[in-house]
Amino acid sequence: MTGFVITPPTTASLAISGSDQVFPLRRVFCVGRNYAAHAREMGADPDREPPFFFSKPADAVVPASGTLPYPPATRELHHEVELVVALKEGGADIAPERALDLVWGYAVGLDLTRRDLQAIAKKDGRPWDMAKGFDASAPCSPLQPLSCTGHPQQGRIWLEVNGELKQEGNLDEMIWPVADVISYLSRFVTLAPGDLIFTGTPSGVGALNPGDRVRGGVEGVTTFELVVAGE
Ligand code: MN
């Protein structure tokens, strides 16, 4: 090989709290229905399902601050506030007891969803990619180093729209805790440094509209605030 035929894409990255360095991103995985109350609100039975996964492009990760573009091709953009895990190490078939050793740090993110497109995809048995993996579909706070957060096992996770509380839950309500999520996911793919995992959302998902001010956070990790772009 003598070189690339076009300029290589830049490496997507995430800011790190209190640092000029950034975290390089490889892939973004998301867990579906990891809080029982949200599984129920989506019409599923939380007791019967093993975790399932979908993914977003690494460059769908944008800062959860400032102004967020309202995406095209939807009339029902939904918020899902989630604890985000960043991996510094990878591997396959990771035992749950070892899984947290792979973690570099934690953040708070939004798994933005075109709920109208997702409903059509579910009805017709089609992929979720265009419902979940669109541009800027993964706003994320700066990463918090482990030295600041430890491994959060419990703590309030919440989201407000225009000052009104919409989503609220606790990390200890996760059906599959972070270690189990990493372990389970590593049976399907070989995880690698730079992978991010969105760990699921508590109940109360709902629509975001142009001009909405969104605040969210996870107790013991961090908070974020952004505005959805106007018409
Ligand atoms: Mn989600």
Side-chain angles (χ1 to χ4, degrees), residues 32-46 49 52 76 78-80 113-116 118-119 122 128 132 167 201-206:
R33 298 180 201 134
N34 199 22
Y35 292 75
H38 173 63
R40 281 188 213 101
E41 79 179 347
M42 299 307 290
D45 180 346
E49 287 194 8
F52 69 92
E76 195 181 23
H78 267 204
H79 54 77
E80 298 189 357
T113 304
R114 288 162 164 158
R115 195 71 75 197
D116 44 0
Q118 189 193 32
K122 285 180 178 177
W128 285 11
K132 287 289 197 179
Q167 292 194 258
T201 198
S203 62
V205 300

Side-chain angles (χ1 to χ4, degrees), residues 46-211:
D47 295 328
R48 272 194 230 148
E49 287 194 8
F52 69 92
F53 301 93
F54 56 92
S55 54
K56 299 185 185 232
D59 64 4
V61 176
V62 295
S65 60
T67 302
L68 180 81
Y70 192 95
T74 185
R75 306 188 73 167
E76 195 181 23
L77 176 68
H78 267 204
H79 54 77
E80 298 189 357
V81 65
E82 311 202 355
L83 175 71
V84 178
V85 182
L87 301 188
K88 66 181 177 189
E89 274 181 59
D93 298 319
I94 306 290
E97 304 74 49
R98 207 180 80 67
L100 294 182
D101 295 345
L102 274 52
V103 174
W104 189 89
Y106 294 88
V108 183
L110 284 175
D111 166 17
L112 292 176
T113 304
R114 288 162 164 158
R115 195 71 75 197
D116 44 0
L117 297 196
Q118 189 193 32
I120 293 168
K122 285 180 178 177
K123 180 169 72 67
D124 295 345
R126 291 181 186 165
W128 285 11
D129 300 51
M130 293 301 111
K132 287 289 197 179
F134 51 92
D135 296 343
S137 59
C140 197
S141 77
L143 266 178
Q144 310 297 310
L146 271 190
S147 55
C148 299
T149 63
H151 292 288
Q153 312 277 350
Q154 59 92 41
R156 182 173 176 256
I157 177 169
W158 57 276
L159 179 133
E160 285 177 9
V161 179
N162 300 324
E164 192 179 323
L165 187 64
K166 297 288 188 184
Q167 292 194 258
E168 187 171 33
N170 195 293
L171 299 181
D172 64 14
E173 296 160 10
M174 283 187 186
I175 299 169
W176 303 92
V178 170
D180 290 348
V181 166
I182 293 169
S183 175
Y184 213 97
L185 180 57
S186 75
R187 299 188 212 168
F188 292 94
V189 291
T190 300
L191 293 170
D195 287 344
L196 279 193
I197 305 172
F198 282 61
T199 59
T201 198
S203 62
V205 300
L208 290 177
N209 294 302

